[in-house]
Amino acid sequence: MFDLKGKVALVTGGSRGIGKAIALTLGQLGANIVINYSRNMDAAQKVAREIEKTGVKAAVFQGDVADPDQAKELVNRAVEKFGTVHILVNNAGITRDTLIMRMKDSDWQEVIDTNLSGVFNCTRAVTRIMMKQKWGRIINMSSVVGITGNAGQVNYCASKAGVIGLTKAAARELGSRGITVNAVAPGFIETDMTDVLPAEIRESMLGSIPVGRAGKPEDVAAAVAFLCSDAAAYITGQTINVDGGMVM
């Protein structure tokens, strides 16, 4: 049911955190993996080596998904390497947190360009490929704050809310071609981004989670794996919260 043998999965921002966990999980299920990274080549190559220990193939390609040309080239290189792309996980994302009155134009634009335009750029680049093969899975990483909002993150919240709207529209366009498009909205997940939060904020957030703990990247990866599988063939245009009940 969760067998991805023969599939090719492209994971943007796949060198660390949630993206790394997704790449490893999809590789363990049999997919060949293309890991996209922006800066840390060593980390991406380390993930690739770990994936290849499971018996599948992995490739590492640098590229800034905020740049339409680089996003297109990333997909082209994946096709040159493996022949096609069956699965796209739009995971690459950044934060530039500050209060709205202090937020610089660049803080706003950089987050929108990577977190929202990056999803559009990569999705547009794979659509013809997936339409031709009449099968595809596109999973876009949103966030619970794209649903609830969060002080000090107007740029991030706007980008992640936009991802949900993009997901719904793309699902309507592509559903008849055998392509599903869904979003995953993580809650408080233990990553490099959350490790830097002050202790009082961490405790406050943990207190709002019914299951009583922070999530792990593997929790998110499991949801993504399900949406990539044939078991989720009748699910599209949805946002799956992986948040321990934080948002209901």
Side-chain angles (χ1 to χ4, degrees):
M1 186 178 290
F2 283 69
D3 185 357
L4 298 179
K5 288 184 177 66
K7 297 293 192 290
V8 177
L10 167 57
V11 182
T12 69
S15 65
R16 62 191 180 95
I18 291 172
K20 174 183 175 181
I22 291 169
L24 290 170
T25 298
L26 299 186
Q28 289 163 1
L29 293 173
N32 295 319
I33 308 296
V34 177
I35 301 166
N36 157 254
Y37 72 98
S38 179
R39 295 182 180 85
N40 195 335
M41 180 178 66
D42 290 342
Q45 290 179 334
K46 184 177 179 180
V47 176
R49 289 193 295 270
E50 192 170 346
I51 289 169
E52 288 180 335
K53 289 179 181 177
T54 66
V56 300
K57 297 177 180 178
V60 172
F61 296 133
Q62 184 178 24
D64 182 358
V65 299
D67 182 323
D69 291 333
Q70 290 189 48
K72 184 177 180 180
E73 179 63 15
L74 170 62
V75 173
N76 288 341
R77 293 181 71 185
V79 173
E80 289 172 6
K81 178 69 176 180
F82 291 118
T84 190
V85 174
H86 299 98
I87 297 165
L88 169 65
V89 182
N90 283 306
N91 170 76
I94 62 172
T95 57
R96 297 288 186 271
D97 296 350
T98 190
L99 295 174
I100 190 169
M101 65 178 134
R102 298 174 185 160
M103 187 169 288
K104 300 175 183 177
D105 291 346
S106 59
D107 294 332
W108 169 267
Q109 200 61 55
E110 288 171 11
V111 170
I112 296 297
D113 287 347
T114 297
N115 297 7
L116 181 54
S117 296
V119 173
F120 167 75
N121 292 336
C122 292
T123 299
R124 180 174 60 178
V126 301
T127 50
R128 289 186 185 277
I129 298 163
M130 291 183 175
M131 288 170 70
K132 186 176 181 180
Q133 67 197 13
K134 296 182 180 179
W135 198 97
R137 297 285 187 269
I138 300 173
I139 295 91
N140 301 322
M141 300 308 296
S142 181
S143 169
V144 293
V145 300
I147 300 168
T148 65
N150 195 38
Q153 289 191 306
V154 294
N155 48 4
Y156 188 77
C157 295
S159 71
K160 294 303 185 178
V163 165
I164 293 173
L166 185 157
T167 297
K168 292 177 181 294
R172 290 186 179 276
E173 288 189 24
L174 302 174
S176 64
R177 305 302 183 96
I179 304 166
T180 65
V181 188
N182 291 287
V184 172
F188 184 31
I189 308 297
E190 293 177 345
T191 66
D192 292 345
M193 286 186 180
T194 58
D195 285 346
V196 300
L197 292 173
E200 61 272 17
I201 293 179
R202 288 177 60 87
E203 290 302 315
S204 175
M205 294 181 74
L206 287 171
S208 68
I209 301 172
V211 301
R213 68 169 178 89
K216 299 181 182 300
E218 291 75 16
D219 294 321
V220 181
V224 172
F226 167 68
L227 292 172
C228 290
S229 73
D230 288 334
Y234 201 56
I235 299 173
T236 195
Q238 304 305 306
T239 301
I240 309 299
N241 291 1
V242 183
D243 63 358
M246 188 176 182
V247 174
M248 296 188 189

